[in-house]
Each structure stands twice: as structure tokens, then as C-alpha cells.
Amino acid sequence: MKEFAEIVGAANVLTGAEDMAPHLRDWTGQWQGSARAVLLPGDTAEVAAVVKAAQALDLPIIAQSGNTSVSGGSVPDEAGDGIVLSLKRMTRIRAIDPAARTATVDAGLVIETLQDAVAEHGLDYPLMFGARGSAMIGGALATNAGGSNVLRYGNARDLCLGIEAVLPSGEVVHGLTGLRKDNTGYDLKNLLIGSEGTLGIITGAVLKLVPTPRVRSTAFLALPRVEGALDVLNRLQDVSGGLVEAFEYMPGPMVEAIREHDPSLRAPLEQTAECGILVELASTRPADAEEDETGEVALQRIMLSEIEALMEEGQIEDGFFATSEQQRRDLWRLREAVLESIVARGPFTVLDAALPLSGVPDFLRRAGEVAEAAGLQPLVVGHLGDGNIHYSLSAADGGSWDEGRADKATGELLDILADMGGSYSAEHGIGRVKTGTLAKRKDPAQLEAMRTIRQALDPRGRLGRGVLVS
């Protein structure tokens, strides 16, 4: 490891078992690997030098940001012959441009840290998911992360204007121009985004920012059936002028599992909702933040008026409306506790499904039949506004976990997705978990094109070995 110590400094070459341990397993505990060392470069030049040195020594490299992946793509395999390249020291905010509404940052910057920094300028980086307090920009871009605000702002790809990255050769792609239009050849930025560290290591990015909303209106709704959810969403979009930021599906069993894990979280409704929806509208317009003589703000009136109409029509059965910031945060704490609640129950599988919006109810019905036949507990949450359903299978209450039954059920769910024209990786990435699924189910021409691109950039397959596609 002498070669690397000369590049990053001896203190930033971790070889002890205790020091390396957090970098060799994912946070779910389902994936564990091994490595010769964990390296902590401090800037892009050091990343490039490390990659060149590793290639000269023929060492595999796994790039790692916050290590919050649930697909196993951020930890090394068990061979133990490679290195982990962690971006945790690369935390600079290089520039914030309030006029252009952009931020130029290092890839190791934690998402929430960026959000706190740009808030001082009345701006926001609207990539919202539970792990944003530890997830980093580089990993979010490498997996094209999503979250609850994709409905309005898009995935990580849609919020990125420029990329800086180190290719497998050690050469640096300098793409931090922040241009919103650039048709000068192949779009390397979008090729690198979502490539999960297999085509290059993202070291910096120019990100889009949006104005911080002046006002938000948040509610938890009980619908009699999920089939009516899309109409509720469209009605709220229409009356508000497209101000719906989140429309999250949280059925009763999922809410109960969350509260079982953390009893301090209150149920939003007295009666468990078969189809619960967490909805949030947000606006930057001064008029939407104006209060009437009762203290009610305009955006809240718009939302309540339409929901009352939907209740009269029987499309909504009940609702809880956040009347304070604390109540709003409590609702989001419930939503953001989903994954840790599932993990706490023990072994599980999760299908990160994407479907045409109108196909979600049929998928949930068919998937429920599969889970029931397998004797497994479905724990489901979803971004209904963009058709992304996280369908987890856990041991039923009082039952035991059977890997064979779970694998069989997962295969049946994948068959349903294929039949409906859906995707088995909406926002979590392929990582190591789904490489076999990708190899079997990806269109052969697309799969071959992916392999050709990877081979062209990394002929020896040293970067991200075993991740995504080989």
C-alpha cells in the first residue's frame, strides 16, 4: 500500500480490520465484502492518481460514497484482492450561484449538508429520501437516486447540469460547465449518471437548485381503494396548478410495522387506512402563503376545498391535515422510517418496481396474491405519482423466513412486472443484488450494448467488479 500512501497520505490508507469494517458491509447487513485497503482521497487529482496506480497494479476498485445502497453496489465482493475508494473526505461546496440557482460540489458532500447550505440563499436541492442525512451526492448520481419529490422535480439525473469524473484509465472528464444545452457529441454526463461506478468515479457535479417554498400543505388521506388514487392526484394537481410535490402510498400494514418498530411515531388516523396517502403541496407564490382572517393560508384552503369535494364523492374516507410544522415533520418521520422498520423485522426481499401509473392497482392485486400464496407478509410503500412501488416481502407474523419461498415469490413478481411492461429497478440501482435478474431479463440488444460500452472504457473490468453488468 506504499504507492497509495504516497498519493493520499498514510493516515488515509486504512488497512486495519476495525477501520475498514464500516466500508466492507452495507447498512442493511445483507452484503459483506473484503478488501486489501480502504483509500480516502481528498480531491479529484488524488482520485485520478489512485485509479492510475490501481490499474498499474491490476487491482479492482469499488467506489463508495455514503454506503446507503440497498442493492449491494457500494461494497466490495468477497475476493479481498481489491481496494475501496471512499469519497468521504471530498466534502467541499465549491460554489453556490444564487442567480443561476446552481451549486457546484464535491461528490462526497452529504445531501442534507448541501440542503442546509443552500437554504441560507432561499434555495433547496429537492432530492428527498430518508437517507439524505448520510447519503452523498456521488452515490445519488451513480445510482440516479429518486425519492418522494420525483413527481415534481425528477430523479438525480434531472437535477444535474454537469459532471466531473475519473474514468477507469485515470483520465479526468471535466464537465462542470453547468450548461443547460450542449449538443456537442455523446452525453457523457448522462452515461455516467446511473452507471453505479462501473464507467467512472464521479468526483464533482453542478446541481440544479429550486426556490424554497414559502408554504406547504400536508395531509394523510384514507382512500377506500388504491384504484381511485390517480384521480385524487390529478384533481389536486389541476386545482393547484401542478403544486403536488409528494404523493406517497402507505397502506395500513406498513404503517403498523413502522409503529411496531418505533412506538413513539403516532398513527395519523384513528382507523388504519387500507389505502393511506401522504400528500404534500408546496408553493413559492406569495399569494399562496397569504392568510385569511382565521389564519388559514391560501394553499391550505385550495387543498382542503378539493379534498372536501372528493370526500363528498366518496373518493376519500378520512384525512389528517398538518396544521403546524411539527405535525408535518411527524408525518414525514413516519414515511422516512419505512426502510429501517422493514430491516428491523429480519430477513426480507425488496422489489423496486416501476409501472405505468394506471397499472399500479392491478400490480398490487396480483402481487398480493403471490405473497399470500407464499405465506409472506407484503410491506409496501410507493411513490404513486411516478409509478414507483417498493414491494417488500417479510416473514409473516408468527412465521419463519424461508429463502426458497421468498426467491420463488420474487420470481413470480418479476414475471408480473414483465407482463405489465414494468421495471425491476426504479431508483435503487442494480448493484450486486440484481445482476442475475438483469442478465436474464434485459433486452439482449440493450444488454450487449451495455457490455460493449463497459468493455470499451474498462477493458479489464477493474472498476466496480461484479456490479451492474459484467
Side-chain angles (χ1 to χ4, degrees):
M1 296 294 107
K2 178 182 177 182
E3 299 90 339
F4 299 116
E6 292 175 352
I7 297 169
V8 301
N12 297 310
V13 178
L14 310 181
T15 56
E18 187 175 343
D19 292 333
M20 290 200 296
H23 300 274
L24 302 182
R25 62 175 178 266
D26 77 334
W27 77 274
T28 70
Q30 292 191 311
W31 290 90
Q32 176 83 35
S34 183
R36 293 179 62 181
V38 175
L39 307 182
L40 310 174
D43 57 29
T44 302
E46 289 186 1
V47 173
V50 165
V51 171
K52 287 180 179 179
Q55 290 288 26
L57 296 168
D58 200 25
L59 297 178
I61 305 171
I62 283 287
Q64 188 177 95
S65 293
N67 199 19
T68 60
S69 168
V70 294
S71 297
S74 59
V75 294
D77 59 25
E78 296 178 347
D81 59 343
I83 59 174
V84 174
L85 191 153
S86 170
L87 302 174
K88 67 188 297 182
R89 290 181 59 223
M90 297 177 60
T91 60
R92 288 182 303 152
I93 297 176
R94 305 187 194 183
I96 296 174
D97 186 338
R101 292 178 176 172
T102 64
T104 305
V105 303
D106 281 357
L109 183 68
V110 171
I111 292 170
E112 194 169 61
T113 301
L114 172 63
Q115 292 168 337
D116 290 342
V118 301
E120 298 177 8
H121 300 273
L123 298 169
D124 188 22
Y125 175 62
L127 193 65
M128 301 297 290
F129 51 84
R132 67 184 180 277
S134 51
M136 298 173 185
I137 295 297
L141 291 170
T143 57
N144 190 28
S148 59
N149 284 6
V150 169
L151 170 63
R152 187 167 183 181
Y153 300 109
N155 285 52
R157 183 189 307 279
D158 302 293
L159 294 168
C160 183
L161 293 171
I163 284 287
E164 176 187 80
V166 176
L167 298 177
S169 63
E171 298 301 313
V172 180
V173 172
H174 299 282
L176 298 180
T177 60
L179 297 177
R180 294 172 188 264
K181 293 182 178 180
D182 182 10
N183 287 325
T184 56
Y186 298 129
D187 193 341
L188 295 180
K189 175 193 72 175
N190 279 322
L191 184 63
L192 289 163
I193 295 173
S195 67
E196 301 188 45
T198 62
L199 302 181
I201 301 172
I202 295 171
T203 56
V206 181
L207 304 172
K208 292 181 186 177
L209 306 175
V210 300
T212 302
R214 292 173 181 266
V215 60
R216 290 185 170 93
S217 185
T218 311
F220 193 94
L221 308 175
L223 277 60
R225 56 197 177 278
V226 71
E227 285 81 1
L230 196 56
D231 187 49
V232 172
L233 169 61
N234 290 338
R235 292 269 294 268
L236 290 172
Q237 289 282 46
D238 291 346
V239 299
S240 68
L243 297 182
V244 180
E245 285 204 340
F247 197 78
E248 302 290 284
Y249 176 58
M250 296 184 65
M254 187 70 255
V255 173
E256 289 172 0
I258 293 167
R259 296 194 64 245
E260 179 182 323
H261 172 63
D262 186 352
S264 71
L265 297 174
R266 296 178 58 185
L269 301 172
E270 290 187 9
Q271 298 295 323
T272 301
E274 178 179 335
C275 176
I277 301 290
L278 173 59
V279 58
E280 182 162 276
L281 280 64
S283 177
T284 61
R285 297 183 303 212
D288 287 331
E290 290 181 358
E291 297 183 0
D292 62 15
E293 61 278 2
T294 68
E296 187 175 67
V297 299
L299 185 63
Q300 186 90 333
R301 287 198 303 275
I302 292 170
M303 185 182 194
L304 287 173
S305 176
E306 191 60 27
I307 287 174
E308 287 172 359
L310 288 162
M311 282 182 167
E312 290 177 4
E313 297 168 19
Q315 295 199 61
I316 296 176
E317 294 179 322
D318 196 5
F320 170 80
F321 304 92
T323 57
S324 68
E325 180 60 21
Q326 185 59 55
Q327 288 182 344
R328 172 182 173 267
R329 289 179 180 176
D330 288 344
L331 287 176
W332 278 109
R333 281 181 62 212
L334 198 71
R335 171 61 183 88
E336 292 174 353
V338 164
L339 192 52
E340 65 184 57
S341 301
I342 293 172
V343 171
R345 286 175 64 94
F348 69 97
T349 65
V350 59
L351 185 64
D352 174 33
L355 294 138
L357 298 188
S358 59
V360 169
D362 191 37
F363 171 78
L364 291 173
R365 177 186 61 79
R366 295 171 67 178
E369 293 171 355
V370 169
E372 183 177 4
L376 296 170
Q377 171 71 58
L379 294 173
V380 186
V381 70
H383 313 297
L384 282 194
D386 56 49
N388 181 191
I389 299 296
H390 300 297
Y391 202 93
S392 298
L393 294 174
S394 179
D397 290 339
S400 59
W401 178 254
D402 186 309
E403 198 72 40
R405 279 189 297 139
D407 288 345
K408 182 176 182 294
T410 298
E412 292 174 7
L413 294 179
L414 290 169
D415 289 340
I416 293 171
L417 272 180
D419 180 58
M420 299 183 69
S423 168
Y424 43 82
S425 183
E427 63 180 8
H428 289 169
I430 297 297
R432 299 188 186 282
V433 175
K434 303 174 190 174
T435 52
T437 301
L438 184 80
K440 291 178 182 177
R441 295 178 179 269
K442 189 72 173 177
D443 172 72
Q446 293 186 51
L447 188 61
E448 185 57 31
M450 290 168 63
R451 286 173 172 156
T452 299
I453 292 168
R454 183 164 185 174
Q455 176 71 16
L457 290 176
D458 188 10
R460 290 184 292 176
R462 302 287 83 187
L463 197 58
R465 184 179 65 186
V467 175
L468 187 56
V469 63
S470 57

